[in-house]
Amino acid sequence: MTAETVRAQGDQAAGHWAPGETVLWRYRGNATERFHLCRPVTVVRDDAEMLAVWLAAGTECIRPVLHDGSEIAREPLATRFRKPRDVRRSTWFGTGVLKLARPGDPWSVWLFWDRGWRLRNWYVNLEEPRVRWAGGIDSEDHVLDVAVYPDRSWEWKDEDEFAAAREAGLIGDQQAERIRAAGLSAVREVQAWGWPFRDGWEHWRPNPSWATPALPDDWDRAPDARFS
């Protein structure tokens, strides 16, 4: 038995998933317990230090739309977070995305590539620390984000939507302060070129034997068991 096998068995016994397993990465809508984003992903690495998953191109996902079926991004900011929403099945377009998350961090870091595996950018997605359960992880997206580029420059993203969500009452003042503080903490990681930017994940490639995960019919089920 190899050391890698022993370590993998130990991780599974501790409530970790094995590389190649499919789990669900889900987000609740702001100020609601209803899930409005769900993406089946393949586990790349899962241990006490971090969870890494691969969202493959062509994966069937759940995403939010306005109740009349129109696209949220086309709705004016003044009403974008005030109109009722529904969900729709759709396919993840473009290249795949590698998602990295450390336990307890109020953000995850996503890597985007252009065709030919040319790194486009890292994306710091500010969110509630993820809750693990037997079938995946659950969180709430915090709208505000940070884009990080290969030359180590960075910029805030979606500040206009963050302001609109606050004006609509979906993000309170105290929560907004916590979100902004989390973003500044992430920016300090960028400026120090700390985790995960220093770790060479831009050179990672998916296992060609992995199948594209399927979206289960009960994608929005209540968590059936929680991992520690």
Side-chain angles (χ1 to χ4, degrees):
M1 183 179 296
T2 66
E4 289 77 9
T5 300
V6 171
R7 183 164 57 250
Q9 290 178 348
D11 285 343
Q12 287 179 286
H16 295 291
W17 299 296
E21 284 192 76
T22 296
V23 297
L24 301 179
W25 188 295
R26 307 191 296 186
Y27 290 104
R28 298 180 301 275
N30 299 106
T32 178
E33 291 300 311
R34 184 185 180 193
F35 295 109
H36 72 163
L37 274 170
C38 179
R39 296 163 180 162
V41 292
T42 302
V43 174
V44 174
R45 169 183 164 184
D46 185 32
D47 53 37
E49 295 180 358
M50 66 176 295
L51 170 65
V53 302
W54 173 243
L55 172 58
T59 300
E60 187 180 22
C61 303
I62 295 294
R63 65 181 178 86
V65 294
L66 295 181
H67 189 65
D68 63 4
S70 60
E71 298 294 335
I72 291 172
R74 296 179 181 175
E75 181 69 20
L77 275 173
T79 52
R80 188 174 300 176
F81 291 91
R82 298 178 183 275
K83 288 191 173 182
R85 298 186 177 190
D86 208 335
V87 296
R88 171 184 294 169
R89 287 177 177 254
S90 65
T91 300
W92 184 262
F93 59 89
T95 58
V97 179
L98 179 66
K99 299 186 177 188
L100 312 173
R102 293 186 300 192
D105 275 355
W107 67 76
S108 55
V109 180
W110 305 359
L111 282 78
F112 290 86
W113 287 269
D114 291 322
R115 295 190 182 281
W117 289 102
R118 180 178 179 273
L119 180 68
R120 183 190 314 162
N121 65 276
W122 292 268
Y123 197 82
V124 180
N125 196 74
L126 300 177
E127 59 194 39
E128 282 292 313
R130 294 143 304 282
V131 174
R132 297 169 58 96
W133 55 286
I137 59 170
D138 296 340
S139 182
E140 178 182 316
D141 183 78
H142 283 161
V143 185
L144 186 65
D145 304 297
V146 180
V148 183
Y149 301 100
D151 65 359
R152 301 193 182 188
S153 63
W154 63 273
E155 64 176 331
W156 295 105
K157 300 294 288 186
D158 301 326
E159 288 188 285
D160 55 349
E161 287 200 319
F162 185 62
R166 292 189 63 185
E167 291 173 2
L170 299 182
I171 298 175
D173 291 343
Q174 290 185 344
Q175 185 184 19
E177 290 178 5
R178 292 195 300 270
I179 294 169
R180 181 70 72 170
L184 292 172
S185 181
V187 166
R188 287 192 289 272
E189 287 274 13
V190 175
Q191 293 171 330
W193 211 242
W195 180 91
F197 312 103
R198 67 190 177 200
D199 297 329
W201 282 102
E202 64 271 23
H203 304 300
W204 175 87
R205 300 293 183 265
N207 187 326
S209 70
W210 287 343
T212 302
L215 178 69
D217 290 336
D218 60 347
W219 61 268
D220 59 347
R221 67 186 183 274
D224 42 20
R226 289 192 175 185
F227 284 177
S228 58

